[in-house]
Amino acid sequence: MFSSLIWFAIATQIALAQQIWDTYTTTWDRTKLFTYSVATPINFVDPGDTGDATINIQEGTVYQQMDGFGAALTDSSALLLTLRISLGASDFSQSAYTYDDTAGDTSLSQFSVDRAPSYFWTVLSDIKTVQPGIKLFILPWSPPAWMKDNNNIGGGSLRSEYADVYANYLLKSVQGFTSKGFRPYTISLQNEPGHSDGSYPTATLSSSLAASIGTTLRTLLNNNGFSDVKLIGYDHNWDNLAYPNDVINRAASSFAGIAFHCYGGSVGAQSTFHNAYPNEEIHFTECAGMNGSDWWGDIKWNIDNLVIGAVENWARSVMFWNLVLDPSGNPKFPGTGSCASPGCRGVATINGNTISLNQEWYVLAHGSRAILPKDTGGPWAKRIGSTVTGGQGWALRVSAFVTERTSSTEWKRYSLVVLNWNDNSSTSWNPQPVKTIINFKGKAATVTFPVGVTTLWWFAAP
């Protein structure tokens, strides 16, 4: 009798583990917006049913560890509401400043992170209260003007004779954030180092000088108790692989990896870089939507290229530009030509006392829900292998993940993010759901995916 009870308990646990309980759905017509449902559980059973498409989970093929999905906390975002974080002013700041604007202060005696607006720190504190485990990616839009060849925060380039001073400036930035209770996860040397625009804080930085500064900064970080802070060697578009290739060739041991933006090239460049430098991390750190664009079209593009596309091309993180802006895409740096009419769109929009969640929020939510740790302090998900086959397989874009547990005896969580873009928009508008078989460990579950985005998960024994 006792052994029978044990067998019954084990069999019951395995059965429960092989069920899909939780789903989150956003549909093309917005009738569901990241809508959570706990319906009748969908069982994994012996194969036999047929569908229009088949998702095959390859749980033994494990790829990169995920770091998260998020957005940039600029001065404007902090002013309106209030993670990628600019060190000093950006194109979404109300005034020009860096952390040391005293000309010729090579000792950095006047350096202070308190030059950032006070509301910035207040909002960052509020965010950390809600999400203590948040990861901060910090980087400057410009070095101090006096370190540059044009003596201006807008445009120009860092003067090579200030390379060591600049490395110390970045170290002090890490120290300053940490002193306020915000230990950075990564630091980049320069936002968009190939872009110079005199109308807002920008600067160019050659790949050779970046490698030199990175080597110095890595030593400074290690010697000052920040060996865990990751150094990012490139933070710009997909279309210039020559720059990160040169940085890594010169100073691979100093850099944890590189980061990409969406404003030039295509996401496949990430895999090209990974294939050349498989030990370097890849992050995706910036893309901005524009006001007035098509909601469902944006959902499709962002899931296809970023939440699924960037991740299947080795990104550990995916971030959009401003977390929050007003309906016109403001506030912005005075006189800037950045994000011109109709204006950039924040992940959320604040209009007076009203907060509206935009399409970027929903795609981030779907990605984030699939990879968050299951246990407090537990590991983030890892991407695993998956394929899509069948007559309607073309209609589905899929990313699969596994989340380990803090105890090796606990069941692992398996997650999918699925885009059904079978809307026939290229001919006559006719959105069609796709009946899909999910194959997993010799069992199969049948799920019908509406046109839209679905995140779902189940648990399985180790």
Side-chain angles (χ1 to χ4, degrees):
M1 178 64 176
F2 181 69
S3 62
S4 296
L5 288 173
I6 292 176
W7 169 249
F8 176 78
I10 293 174
T12 301
Q13 287 180 340
I14 292 175
L16 288 174
Q18 303 290 332
Q19 293 177 320
I20 298 170
W21 283 85
D22 302 290
T23 63
Y24 299 81
T25 306
T26 297
T27 53
W28 69 273
D29 58 1
R30 296 186 241 189
T31 55
K32 292 184 177 181
L33 291 170
F34 197 58
T35 301
Y36 174 63
S37 63
V38 183
T40 302
I42 301 170
N43 296 310
F44 281 89
V45 298
D46 291 334
D49 195 7
T50 58
D52 301 313
T54 301
I55 299 173
N56 303 292
I57 307 301
Q58 302 163 331
E59 68 278 1
T61 303
V62 182
Y63 299 107
Q64 75 272 26
Q65 176 84 49
M66 296 300 297
D67 280 325
F69 292 83
L73 180 64
T74 62
D75 292 349
S76 293
S77 292
L79 178 62
L80 287 163
L81 172 71
T82 192
L83 230 180
R84 185 161 177 255
I85 295 174
S86 60
L87 304 177
S90 72
D91 42 335
F92 285 85
S93 297
Q94 291 190 305
S95 62
Y97 74 94
T98 69
Y99 294 153
D100 190 343
D101 291 318
T102 302
D105 183 23
T106 56
S107 66
L108 302 176
S109 61
Q110 301 304 305
F111 179 98
S112 176
V113 295
D114 286 327
R115 295 180 185 277
S118 59
Y119 52 75
F120 172 87
W121 299 110
T122 300
V123 174
L124 189 54
S125 295
D126 291 342
I127 291 174
K128 188 175 181 182
T129 298
V130 175
Q131 176 52 275
I134 199 163
K135 297 174 181 178
L136 304 182
F137 291 63
I138 65 173
L139 74 167
W141 261 239
S142 174
W146 53 272
M147 294 187 192
K148 298 168 66 176
D149 58 6
N150 65 346
N151 200 37
N152 194 305
I153 197 172
S157 303
L158 178 73
R159 293 163 59 181
S160 59
E161 60 264 36
Y162 286 116
D164 287 349
V165 178
Y166 187 52
N168 277 281
Y169 176 90
L170 296 175
L171 168 67
K172 290 178 77 68
S173 297
V174 172
Q175 292 172 324
F177 270 74
T178 302
S179 70
K180 288 185 172 292
F182 310 108
R183 192 178 185 89
Y185 183 66
T186 75
I187 182 169
S188 297
L189 304 179
Q190 170 64 46
N191 179 62
E192 300 189 341
H195 180 60
S196 175
D197 186 326
S199 72
Y200 69 97
T202 57
T204 58
L205 180 68
S206 70
S207 56
S208 58
L209 191 54
S212 176
I213 294 169
T215 300
T216 301
L217 179 56
R218 181 72 271 164
T219 300
L220 289 171
L221 291 169
N222 293 348
N223 291 345
N224 285 274
F226 296 103
S227 59
D228 60 314
V229 176
K230 298 181 179 185
L231 188 53
I232 303 300
Y234 174 75
D235 218 303
H236 207 171
N237 292 333
W238 289 315
D239 61 359
N240 184 15
L241 286 180
Y243 189 111
N245 290 352
D246 189 50
V247 170
I248 300 305
N249 285 337
R250 291 173 182 268
S253 62
S254 297
F255 294 96
I258 65 169
F260 287 102
H261 300 181
C262 74
Y263 310 119
S266 60
V267 68
Q270 295 180 186
S271 282
T272 302
F273 179 84
H274 170 80
N275 293 337
Y277 306 97
N279 296 323
E280 298 294 323
E281 294 182 4
I282 293 174
H283 299 270
F284 181 87
T285 52
E286 187 177 321
C287 198
M290 299 297 290
N291 288 324
S293 59
D294 178 69
W295 189 90
W296 169 234
D298 291 341
I299 293 283
K300 289 191 291 184
W301 192 93
N302 287 326
I303 293 289
D304 178 36
N305 288 279
L306 304 183
V307 172
I308 291 178
V311 171
E312 70 183 7
N313 285 280
W314 298 98
R316 295 168 58 105
S317 59
V318 173
M319 286 176 267
F320 284 95
W321 192 197
N322 282 279
L323 180 62
V324 180
L325 293 172
D326 72 13
S328 299
N330 292 316
K332 291 196 296 186
F333 191 82
T336 181
S338 176
C339 280
S341 181
C344 286
R345 179 178 57 242
V347 173
T349 297
I350 289 186
N351 188 6
N353 293 323
T354 302
I355 300 176
S356 302
L357 302 178
N358 296 320
Q359 42 268 57
E360 290 79 13
W361 187 93
Y362 292 103
V363 299
L364 289 174
H366 276 281
S368 183
R369 184 58 63 182
I371 68 166
L372 289 170
K374 175 63 177 71
D375 306 310
T376 301
W380 290 66
K382 294 180 180 179
R383 179 171 68 97
I384 59 175
S386 65
T387 61
V388 184
T389 59
Q392 293 291 308
W394 62 268
L396 303 183
R397 291 281 281 123
V398 179
S399 269
F401 305 92
V402 60
T403 305
E404 303 283 347
R405 308 298 299 279
T406 53
S407 170
S408 60
T409 62
E410 293 286 345
W411 298 325
K412 299 177 182 179
R413 185 185 70 204
Y414 292 85
S415 309
L416 296 181
V417 178
V418 180
L419 167 67
N420 174 7
W421 52 7
N422 185 16
D423 54 21
N424 295 292
S425 58
S426 62
T427 54
S428 59
W429 186 257
N430 185 26
Q432 292 294 314
V434 176
K435 180 183 177 182
T436 305
I437 308 301
I438 302 174
N439 287 329
F440 174 73
K441 290 189 174 183
K443 300 293 184 179
T446 303
V447 178
T448 297
F449 292 104
V451 173
V453 188
T454 301
T455 298
L456 56 80
W457 64 54
W458 65 93
F459 292 86

